[in-house]
Amino acid sequence: PPGTFLIATIAELTKNKNISSLIGALAHVRNVHPEISLHAVVFGEGEEQKNLEAHIIRCGLQTIVTLAGFIPDAARLLPAFDLFVLPSLKEGLPYVLLEAGAGHVPIVAIDIPGVRDIVLPDFTGLLIPRDAESVASAIEKLLADTALKKSLTENMAVRVRETFSLPHMIEKTIALYQ
């Protein structure tokens, strides 16, 4: 419905991706703020799908969380969302954050190596501890502060364009070999 705060994540559904903490966070936000219309879409598939489906049912979030499965080039859909959450427990260099930034979607991510290479805390995104309560707090913070949401989005779009563009990445890679 109009006015629904839309949250996305794109991930392989494995324990490492920690999607259960996003589900727990959504349950918390819904319980504390029943007046807020939320919906989260999880793009991806994997071995944890059945466990996540059961977790969604246990939390009573069947109408709030959609496990969309694998969607080719799901990043093209990100501009339709109000927030991107990456709750992973470990990452290399998560390109999905670059895709979210390029799509002008604010980012909440677990504060881990790899993510820190892309997200500058409280400037281009919110970096948080790895628990559901922290994910919930970050969602609530961005629900309440549209100015912060806008500045994070604009700063990340600039960072992606200036630091992670294809020409820049090629230049940096060539420099490493020289």
Side-chain angles (χ1 to χ4, degrees):
T4 298
F5 191 79
L6 296 173
I7 300 168
T9 195
I10 302 173
E12 186 176 0
L13 304 184
T14 63
K15 287 186 186 226
N16 173 58
K17 297 302 182 178
N18 196 27
I19 302 300
S20 61
S21 73
L22 174 57
I23 294 166
L26 292 167
H28 173 81
V29 173
R30 186 206 49 195
N31 291 337
V32 173
H33 301 285
E35 75 284 0
I36 295 173
S37 180
L38 289 172
H39 194 89
V41 178
V42 178
F43 296 99
E45 54 190 27
E47 63 202 40
E48 282 294 299
Q49 183 162 338
K50 295 290 182 202
N51 291 335
L52 294 172
E53 289 169 352
H55 189 41
I56 290 166
I57 291 168
R58 277 192 308 277
C59 292
L61 298 177
Q62 300 92 313
T63 61
I64 293 176
V65 179
T66 299
L67 297 180
F70 174 75
I71 305 290
D73 193 23
R76 77 185 188 288
L77 304 173
L78 290 178
F81 289 85
D82 299 300
L83 178 63
F84 185 86
V85 177
L86 186 68
S88 297
L89 301 175
K90 74 176 181 177
E91 287 286 348
L93 185 77
Y95 290 139
V96 71
L97 294 179
L98 299 175
E99 293 169 330
H104 297 273
V105 183
I107 294 167
V108 169
I110 303 298
D111 187 6
I112 54 173
V115 169
R116 277 186 232 123
D117 294 328
I118 297 173
V119 178
L120 305 175
D122 300 321
F123 183 69
T124 63
L126 300 181
L127 294 182
I128 57 172
R130 52 180 71 191
D131 57 273
E133 294 80 18
S134 297
V135 177
S137 292
I139 292 169
E140 290 170 323
K141 185 175 187 176
L142 291 175
L143 277 165
D145 193 340
T146 55
L148 174 63
K149 189 177 144 192
K150 183 178 180 188
S151 73
L152 294 175
T153 303
E154 290 172 355
N155 294 338
M156 180 55 98
V158 169
R159 180 160 170 74
V160 168
R161 192 172 50 252
E162 292 180 356
T163 306
F164 296 100
S165 68
L166 182 58
H168 185 77
M169 297 298 283
I170 290 171
E171 178 185 309
K172 290 289 189 183
T173 301
I174 291 170
L176 280 172
Y177 285 98
Q178 293 175 339

